[in-house]
Coordinates of all heavy atoms in Angstrom, one line a residue:
R257 N 18.2 132.9 91.6 CA 18.0 131.5 91.3 C 18.8 131.1 90.1 O 18.8 131.7 89.0 CB 16.5 131.2 91.0 CG 16.2 129.7 90.8 CD 14.8 129.3 90.6 NE 14.4 129.4 89.3 CZ 13.4 128.7 88.7 NH1 12.7 127.8 89.5 NH2 13.0 128.9 87.5
L258 N 19.6 130.0 90.2 CA 20.3 129.5 89.2 C 19.6 128.2 88.6 O 19.0 127.5 89.4 CB 21.7 129.1 89.6 CG 22.6 130.1 90.2 CD1 24.0 129.6 90.7 CD2 22.8 131.3 89.3
S259 N 19.8 128.0 87.3 CA 19.3 126.8 86.7 C 20.4 126.1 85.9 O 21.3 126.8 85.5 CB 18.0 127.0 85.9 OG 18.4 127.8 84.8
C260 N 20.2 124.8 85.7 CA 21.2 124.1 84.9 C 20.5 123.0 84.1 O 19.8 122.2 84.7 CB 22.3 123.5 85.8 SG 23.4 122.3 85.0
A261 N 20.6 123.1 82.8 CA 19.9 122.2 81.9 C 20.9 121.1 81.4 O 22.0 121.5 80.9 CB 19.3 122.9 80.7
A262 N 20.5 119.9 81.5 CA 21.4 118.8 81.0 C 20.9 118.3 79.7 O 19.7 118.3 79.4 CB 21.3 117.6 82.0
S263 N 21.8 117.9 78.9 CA 21.5 117.3 77.5 C 22.5 116.2 77.3 O 23.5 116.0 78.0 CB 21.6 118.4 76.5 OG 22.9 118.9 76.4
G264 N 22.2 115.5 76.2 CA 23.1 114.3 75.9 C 22.6 113.1 76.5 O 21.4 112.8 76.4
S265 N 23.4 112.3 77.1 CA 23.0 111.0 77.7 C 22.3 111.2 79.0 O 22.8 110.7 80.1 CB 24.2 110.1 77.8 OG 24.9 109.9 76.6
I266 N 21.2 111.9 79.0 CA 20.5 112.3 80.3 C 20.0 111.1 81.0 O 19.8 111.1 82.2 CB 19.4 113.3 80.0 CG1 18.4 112.8 79.0 CG2 20.0 114.6 79.6 CD1 17.3 113.7 78.7
F267 N 19.7 110.0 80.3 CA 19.1 108.8 81.0 C 20.1 108.2 82.0 O 19.8 107.5 82.9 CB 18.8 107.7 80.0 CG 20.0 107.3 79.1 CD1 20.7 106.2 79.6 CD2 20.3 107.9 78.0 CE1 21.8 105.8 78.8 CE2 21.4 107.5 77.2 CZ 22.2 106.5 77.7
S268 N 21.4 108.6 81.8 CA 22.5 108.0 82.6 C 22.7 108.8 83.9 O 23.5 108.4 84.8 CB 23.8 107.9 81.8 OG 24.2 109.2 81.5
I269 N 22.0 110.0 84.0 CA 22.3 110.9 85.2 C 21.6 110.3 86.4 O 20.4 110.0 86.4 CB 21.8 112.3 84.9 CG1 22.6 112.9 83.7 CG2 22.0 113.2 86.1 CD1 22.1 114.2 83.3
N270 N 22.3 110.3 87.5 CA 21.8 110.0 88.8 C 21.7 111.3 89.6 O 20.8 112.1 89.5 CB 22.6 108.9 89.5 CG 22.6 107.6 88.7 OD1 21.5 107.2 88.3 ND2 23.7 107.0 88.5
D271 N 22.6 111.5 90.5 CA 22.6 112.7 91.3 C 23.0 114.0 90.5 O 23.8 113.9 89.5 CB 23.6 112.6 92.5 CG 23.2 111.5 93.4 OD1 22.1 110.9 93.2 OD2 23.9 111.3 94.4
M272 N 22.5 115.1 90.9 CA 23.0 116.4 90.3 C 23.2 117.3 91.5 O 22.8 117.1 92.6 CB 21.9 117.0 89.4 CG 21.6 116.1 88.2 SD 20.4 116.9 87.0 CE 21.6 118.1 86.3
G273 N 24.0 118.4 91.2 CA 24.3 119.3 92.3 C 25.0 120.5 91.9 O 25.1 120.8 90.7
W274 N 25.4 121.3 92.9 CA 26.1 122.5 92.7 C 27.4 122.6 93.6 O 27.3 122.2 94.8 CB 25.2 123.7 93.1 CG 24.0 123.9 92.1 CD1 22.8 123.3 92.3 CD2 24.0 124.6 90.9 NE1 22.0 123.6 91.3 CE2 22.7 124.5 90.4 CE3 24.9 125.4 90.2 CZ2 22.3 125.1 89.2 CZ3 24.5 126.0 89.1 CH2 23.2 125.9 88.6
Y275 N 28.4 123.1 93.0 CA 29.6 123.5 93.8 C 29.9 124.9 93.5 O 29.3 125.5 92.6 CB 30.8 122.6 93.3 CG 30.9 121.2 93.9 CD1 29.9 120.3 93.7 CD2 31.9 120.8 94.7 CE1 29.9 119.0 94.2 CE2 32.0 119.6 95.3 CZ 31.0 118.7 95.0 OH 31.1 117.4 95.6
R276 N 30.8 125.5 94.2 CA 31.3 126.9 94.0 C 32.7 127.0 94.3 O 33.3 126.3 95.1 CB 30.4 127.8 94.8 CG 30.6 127.8 96.3 CD 29.7 128.7 97.0 NE 29.9 128.7 98.5 CZ 29.1 129.3 99.4 NH1 28.0 130.0 98.9 NH2 29.4 129.2 100.7
Q277 N 33.3 128.1 93.6 CA 34.7 128.4 93.9 C 34.9 129.9 94.0 O 34.6 130.6 93.0 CB 35.6 127.8 92.7 CG 37.1 127.9 93.0 CD 37.9 127.1 92.0 OE1 37.4 126.7 91.0 NE2 39.1 126.9 92.4
A278 N 35.3 130.3 95.1 CA 35.6 131.7 95.4 C 37.0 132.0 95.0 O 37.9 131.1 94.9 CB 35.4 132.1 96.8
P279 N 37.4 133.3 94.7 CA 38.7 133.6 94.3 C 39.7 133.2 95.3 O 39.6 133.4 96.5 CB 38.7 135.1 94.2 CG 37.2 135.5 93.9 CD 36.4 134.4 94.6
G280 N 40.8 132.5 94.9 CA 41.8 132.1 95.8 C 41.5 130.9 96.7 O 42.3 130.5 97.5
K281 N 40.3 130.3 96.4 CA 39.9 129.1 97.3 C 39.6 127.9 96.4 O 39.5 128.0 95.2 CB 38.7 129.5 98.1 CG 38.9 130.6 99.1 CD 37.7 130.8 100.0 CE 37.9 131.8 101.1 NZ 36.7 132.0 102.0
Q282 N 39.6 126.8 97.1 CA 39.3 125.6 96.3 C 37.8 125.5 96.1 O 37.0 126.1 96.8 CB 39.7 124.3 97.2 CG 41.2 124.2 97.3 CD 41.6 122.9 97.9 OE1 40.9 122.3 98.7 NE2 42.8 122.3 97.5
R283 N 37.4 124.7 95.1 CA 36.0 124.4 94.8 C 35.4 123.7 95.9 O 36.0 122.8 96.5 CB 35.9 123.6 93.5 CG 34.5 123.6 92.9 CD 34.5 122.9 91.6 NE 35.2 123.7 90.6 CZ 35.2 123.4 89.3 NH1 34.5 122.4 88.8 NH2 36.0 124.1 88.4
E284 N 34.2 124.1 96.3 CA 33.6 123.5 97.5 C 32.2 123.1 97.2 O 31.5 123.7 96.3 CB 33.6 124.4 98.7 CG 32.8 125.7 98.5 CD 32.7 126.5 99.8 OE1 33.4 126.3 100.7 OE2 31.9 127.5 99.8
F285 N 31.7 122.1 97.9 CA 30.4 121.5 97.8 C 29.3 122.5 98.3 O 29.5 123.2 99.3 CB 30.3 120.2 98.6 CG 28.9 119.7 98.9 CD1 28.2 119.1 97.9 CD2 28.4 119.9 100.1 CE1 26.9 118.7 98.2 CE2 27.1 119.4 100.4 CZ 26.4 118.8 99.4
V286 N 28.2 122.6 97.5 CA 27.1 123.5 98.0 C 25.9 122.6 98.3 O 25.4 122.6 99.4 CB 26.8 124.5 96.9 CG1 25.5 125.3 97.3 CG2 28.0 125.4 96.6
A287 N 25.4 121.8 97.3 CA 24.2 121.0 97.5 C 24.2 119.9 96.4 O 24.7 120.1 95.3 CB 23.0 121.9 97.4
T288 N 23.5 118.8 96.8 CA 23.2 117.8 95.8 C 21.8 117.3 96.0 O 21.1 117.5 97.0 CB 24.1 116.6 96.0 OG1 24.0 116.1 97.3 CG2 25.6 116.9 95.6
I289 N 21.3 116.7 94.9 CA 19.9 116.2 94.9 C 19.9 114.9 94.1 O 20.5 114.8 93.0 CB 18.9 117.2 94.3 CG1 17.5 116.6 94.5 CG2 19.2 117.6 92.9 CD1 16.4 117.7 94.2
T290 N 19.3 113.8 94.7 CA 19.2 112.6 94.0 C 18.1 112.6 92.9 O 17.3 113.6 92.9 CB 18.9 111.4 94.9 OG1 17.6 111.6 95.5 CG2 19.9 111.4 96.1
R291 N 18.0 111.6 92.1 CA 16.9 111.5 91.1 C 15.6 111.5 91.8 O 14.6 112.1 91.2 CB 17.1 110.3 90.3 CG 16.1 110.1 89.2 CD 16.4 108.9 88.3 NE 17.4 109.3 87.3 CZ 17.1 110.0 86.2 NH1 15.9 110.3 85.9 NH2 18.1 110.3 85.3
R292 N 15.5 110.9 93.0 CA 14.2 110.9 93.7 C 13.9 112.1 94.6 O 12.9 112.2 95.2 CB 14.1 109.6 94.5 CG 14.1 108.3 93.7 CD 13.7 107.1 94.6 NE 13.5 105.9 93.8 CZ 13.1 104.8 94.2 NH1 12.8 104.7 95.5 NH2 12.9 103.7 93.5
G293 N 14.9 113.0 94.6 CA 14.6 114.3 95.3 C 15.3 114.4 96.7 O 15.0 115.4 97.4

């Protein structure tokens, strides 16, 4: 399980998500979640 904590102007955040990048490959989409879930 990975976690990611946001700080700063957090009131401005809408969607959050995860991407990944394997060696020699481009960064790719993994998952996103809206503020409402």
Side-chain angles (χ1 to χ4, degrees):
R257 188 176 86 152
L258 302 179
S259 63
C260 171
S263 61
S265 301
I266 54 177
F267 60 90
S268 67
I269 295 174
N270 295 314
D271 295 358
M272 298 186 76
W274 294 90
Y275 279 65
R276 67 186 182 186
Q277 188 167 16
K281 294 188 177 181
Q282 290 189 331
R283 193 172 297 189
E284 65 176 7
F285 164 75
V286 175
T288 56
I289 185 167
T290 67
R291 177 172 284 277
R292 292 192 173 188

